[in-house]
């Protein structure tokens, strides 16, 4: 079935997505703070120590997420993005210099999603209310490619309420819970058979009140006469993947649910009232879990989809293995 113009969209140039991002449900993986998506409020890391004289070119960081002083959801990883590749032989030493401390013991591990990005996630979700501190002391640490760290970095953040959203593609519903208690069940439409939505658990990357979405910029269609063409600015946008998946309102699908079953280009559509309500409920790091789609799970580097890997798979990408947070 042809989708009406305006049935979906993807950011073109916003604070959340850079030019070149793929559309809602189209294309492959992306990464927070990387090639096709700028991480939530992606600013430079906060250096907290004086630099020392390097033994070679400096090893620097682009970002550490979450930012200091923020309150995030229970699925939010610690994500460290290096400015230059870290060789496999150096990763164990680098991991030992990235310490995660918490106000209550949490089992977790680092995992290298690429040669420049390492995430630390708990084995299961963070307990709500946990205070977390990340000390990344790279002074004198080699990256295995001739560079040496010259600074230390410290970020501190808090885990807020346990807010979760469970989306059933086939049931056309989103069930929202807070601290284990049902809050609301919302009607949704997800991706069509041509442009299915990612399955899996994606932690909210960020959110914006308005996002400009254009099909040409993401390779879906540049033909203004095509039913798949769109060029819209849409409200109440909750960002799920670097490849451009959002939960949002679409004026091409104003009353989503099993009755309309209109289908999107991969995003999750809510009514305008429900989209505004959901926008007000969620924060960076809250898990949105999507089931019932024909598409695979989102890759862990596609935003913050770290929990799409089973624990054994996660440990396979760690150089130092499972550990428990230091006391805070």
């Amino acid at each position: 079935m042809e989708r009406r113009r305006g049935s979906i969209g993807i950011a073109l140039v916003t604070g959340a997505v850079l030019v070149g991002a793929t559309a809602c449900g189209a294309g492959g993986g992306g990464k927070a703070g990387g090639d096709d998506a700028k991480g939530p409020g992606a600013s430079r890391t906060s250096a907290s120590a004086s630099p020392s004289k390097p033994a070679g070119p400096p090893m620097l960081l682009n970002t550490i997420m979450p930012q200091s002083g923020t309150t995030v959801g229970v699925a939010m990883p610690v994500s460290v993005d290096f400015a230059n590749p870290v060789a496999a032989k150096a990763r164990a030493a680098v991991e030992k210099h990235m310490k995660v401390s918490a106000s209550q013991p949490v089992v977790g591990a680092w995992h290298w999603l690429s040669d420049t990005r390492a995430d630390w996630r708990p084995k299961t979700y963070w307990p709500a209310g946990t205070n977390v501190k990340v000390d990344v002391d790279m002074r004198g640490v080699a990256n295995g490619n001739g560079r040496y760290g010259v600074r230390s970095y410290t970020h501190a953040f808090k885990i807020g309420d346990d807010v979760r959203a469970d989306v059933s593609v086939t049931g056309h519903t989103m069930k929202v819970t807070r601290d284990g208690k049902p809050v609301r069940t919302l009607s949704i439409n997800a991706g069509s058979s041509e442009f299915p939505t990612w399955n899996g658990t994606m932690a909210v990357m960020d959110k914006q009140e308005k996002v400009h979405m254009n099909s040409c910029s993401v390779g879906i269609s540049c033909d203004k006469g095509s039913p798949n063409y769109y060029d819209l600015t849409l409200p109440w946008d909750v960002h799920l993947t670097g490849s451009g998946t959002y939960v949002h309102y679409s004026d091409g699908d104003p009353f989503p649910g099993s009755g309309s079953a209109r289908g999107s280009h991969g995003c999750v559509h809510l009514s305008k009232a429900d989209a505004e309500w959901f926008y007000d409920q969620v924060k960076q790091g809250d898990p949105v879990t999507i089931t019932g789609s024909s598409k695979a799970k989102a890759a862990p580097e596609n935003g913050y989809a770290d929990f799409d890997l089973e624990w054994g798979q996660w440990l396979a990408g760690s150089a130092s293995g499972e550990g428990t947070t230091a006391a805070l």
Side-chain angles (χ1 to χ4, degrees):
M1 180 177 68
E2 291 184 350
R3 283 153 299 283
R4 292 171 56 188
R5 176 177 174 179
S7 66
I8 188 59
I10 175 60
L12 175 61
V13 182
T14 71
V17 180
L18 300 182
V19 172
T22 53
C24 286
K31 61 180 181 179
D35 295 336
D36 66 355
K38 187 166 61 178
S43 61
R44 292 290 174 176
T45 53
S46 52
S48 60
S50 300
S52 59
K53 185 177 180 180
M59 175 176 64
L60 301 174
L61 307 184
N62 287 328
T63 58
I64 297 175
M65 290 294 173
Q67 293 184 348
S68 283
T70 56
T71 297
V72 298
V74 296
M76 184 67 196
V78 176
S79 188
V80 179
D81 184 38
F82 293 84
N84 302 99
V86 177
K89 63 184 179 182
R91 291 176 189 173
V94 169
E95 287 180 26
K96 290 178 182 178
H97 287 83
M98 301 191 295
K99 185 174 80 170
V100 180
S101 304
S103 57
Q104 51 185 307
V106 177
V107 174
W110 290 100
H111 178 100
W112 291 85
L113 298 173
S114 71
D115 59 6
T116 58
R117 179 180 168 188
D119 283 11
W120 192 98
R121 54 152 273 206
K123 184 175 182 179
T124 57
Y125 292 155
W126 294 98
T130 303
N131 291 309
V132 185
K133 182 181 177 184
V134 184
D135 293 294
V136 180
D137 188 358
M138 292 290 103
R139 291 174 294 186
V141 179
N143 75 345
N145 289 314
R147 292 180 177 270
Y148 296 82
V150 295
R151 294 186 179 274
S152 65
Y153 309 82
T154 298
H155 277 215
F157 58 94
K158 184 175 181 178
I159 308 301
D161 292 346
D162 185 349
V163 177
R164 309 185 190 189
D166 292 291
V167 175
S168 170
V169 172
T170 54
H172 299 279
T173 59
M174 172 191 284
K175 296 180 180 180
V176 181
T177 62
R178 183 181 298 274
D179 296 326
K181 298 179 181 179
V183 179
R184 282 181 68 177
T185 297
L186 310 175
S187 294
I188 66 99
N189 278 337
S192 66
S193 57
E194 185 180 1
F195 299 101
T197 305
W198 291 110
N199 274 314
T201 296
M202 292 146 274
V204 170
M205 293 176 66
D206 53 40
K207 59 183 184 177
Q208 295 182 87
E209 290 189 8
K210 293 182 180 180
V211 172
H212 181 205
M213 302 185 176
N214 180 273
S215 61
C216 186
S217 68
V218 294
I220 288 181
S221 177
C222 296
D223 178 5
K224 292 184 179 181
S226 168
N228 286 320
Y229 180 83
Y230 52 82
D231 187 5
L232 302 164
T233 298
L234 297 172
W236 312 122
D237 305 282
V238 176
H239 192 189
L240 299 185
T241 68
S243 60
T245 308
Y246 286 82
V247 178
H248 70 135
Y249 167 75
S250 171
D251 56 12
D253 187 16
F255 304 108
S258 59
S260 63
R262 188 175 299 279
S264 73
H265 289 84
C267 286
V268 176
H269 289 171
L270 296 169
S271 71
K272 183 174 266 187
D274 286 349
E276 183 176 5
W277 177 86
F278 183 66
Y279 181 95
D280 289 338
Q281 300 303 306
V282 295
K283 57 190 174 296
Q284 182 187 31
D286 285 340
V288 177
T289 300
I290 298 175
T291 57
S293 174
S294 61
K295 197 168 187 176
K297 290 184 177 181
E301 68 272 14
N302 190 2
Y304 298 128
D306 299 52
F307 282 93
D308 277 352
L309 291 184
E310 299 293 336
W311 187 239
Q313 295 173 308
W314 188 262
L315 291 179
S318 176
S320 56
E322 179 180 301
T324 302
T325 53
L328 182 61

